[in-house]
Amino acid sequence: MKRLIARPERRGAAFAATLGALLLAGCASAPRETAPAAAAIPEVSIEMLRRAIPVAAGTTTVALHNPHGELRVRIGQPGEVGIVATTQRFGAAGPAPTFESSRKGDRLTIHVRYPFAPPPVDPATGRADHTRGRADLAVFVPPDVALELSTTDGRVQVRRAQRDVDARSVSGILDVSTRGALRLSTRSGRVVARQEDGTASGDSRIETEDGPILLAVPVAGDVALSVETGATISHDPGIAIDVAATADGLQRASARWGSGRHALTVRSARGTVHLVPVIPAPTRD
């Protein structure tokens, strides 16, 4: 009696046919996964807003607070604060900012507001989320007023102010030049400062936690400079100053020019400090 033995190739073909049938059955019965719908990206529109805010006679200080973007300040005409705002509106019904002004004594205060709370700054990135609305301001101020300016993460820039400038930001860059006193403070933003001629009526102070500082010092004026940082102090050859390391890991430097009657104090927990001499602007005939 002959034994029937299946050939290997026939068994392989039978197994493949059975496996194919099982896979087809599984595909027919398993529900198909659908890709998640992409989140709708709101429409963004850029709009320019212009405002003129009268400055009453006798006003000595203009304060501007913008937690929703930048402040770029230039010297304008007496008698008014001119504002040119570049705004980003998200969505068809995105809100526009308002500019609320108030006066108290010799002080004019202007707030940039939206109908929601200012966004907080993310400690990890140093940035705030402005996707509900953003306003970057170019501001023209009278030449004879002191300035008080604040942002969250927006740049503060002031060019050739004539009076004292007080500028504060959580993480925004502070870029300021003035003939008056400097009072600048930021946690992690970079500071670029220039005190023009050393004849400021008051003392100056610059502070950061992590932000680096570049300071132009009026060595032809009456200045007493004091610098302290947990990082490094460096300077250009035009600055005659000695830098010393302390036992507690800090670097300190001090110098005096003229009578030294105007204090210029620089403090940073972890930011580098670089000093350069003020180079006077050329006079025009």
Side-chain angles (χ1 to χ4, degrees), residues 145-234:
V145 296
L147 298 172
E148 294 183 12
L149 312 168
S150 71
T151 66
T152 53
D153 62 339
R155 175 193 298 264
V156 177
Q157 185 184 76
V158 182
R159 285 285 181 266
R160 297 188 179 278
Q162 303 300 304
R163 299 289 186 266
D164 297 354
V165 177
D166 185 319
R168 301 176 185 276
S169 182
V170 178
S171 59
I173 296 171
L174 303 181
D175 182 358
V176 179
S177 66
T178 182
R179 294 185 62 191
L182 292 161
R183 288 180 287 274
L184 312 178
S185 176
T186 178
R187 187 178 71 193
S188 57
R190 177 166 54 92
V191 173
V192 180
R194 176 185 171 104
Q195 209 288 317
E196 292 287 353
D197 56 16
T199 61
S201 59
D203 295 337
S204 296
R205 187 176 183 90
I206 300 171
E207 296 179 301
T208 74
E209 291 185 20
D210 301 295
I213 299 170
L214 171 61
L215 173 62
V217 182
V219 295
D222 298 316
V223 177
L225 175 68
S226 171
V227 183
E228 181 179 289
T229 179
T232 59
I233 300 171
S234 58

Side-chain angles (χ1 to χ4, degrees), residues 92-170:
T98 58
F99 309 98
E100 299 180 2
S101 62
S102 61
R103 293 175 176 81
K104 186 175 182 180
D106 60 0
R107 179 187 179 89
L108 170 65
T109 301
I110 302 169
H111 289 273
V112 181
R113 298 194 190 279
Y114 277 89
F116 49 80
V121 172
D122 183 345
T125 64
R127 310 303 297 173
D129 182 2
H130 296 290
T131 53
R132 297 182 67 189
R134 181 182 178 96
D136 296 317
L137 272 61
V139 184
F140 301 88
V141 300
D144 57 348
V145 296
L147 298 172
E148 294 183 12
L149 312 168
S150 71
T151 66
T152 53
D153 62 339
R155 175 193 298 264
V156 177
Q157 185 184 76
V158 182
R159 285 285 181 266
R160 297 188 179 278
Q162 303 300 304
R163 299 289 186 266
D164 297 354
V165 177
D166 185 319
R168 301 176 185 276
S169 182
V170 178

Side-chain angles (χ1 to χ4, degrees), residues 81-97:
V81 172
I83 296 174
V84 180
T86 303
T87 67
Q88 299 177 26
R89 300 181 68 173
F90 294 83

Side-chain angles (χ1 to χ4, degrees), residues 38-53:
I41 300 175
E43 180 182 352
V44 180
S45 60
I46 307 297
E47 296 184 6
M48 302 288 289
L49 302 177
R50 298 176 183 271
R51 298 289 187 273
I53 299 174

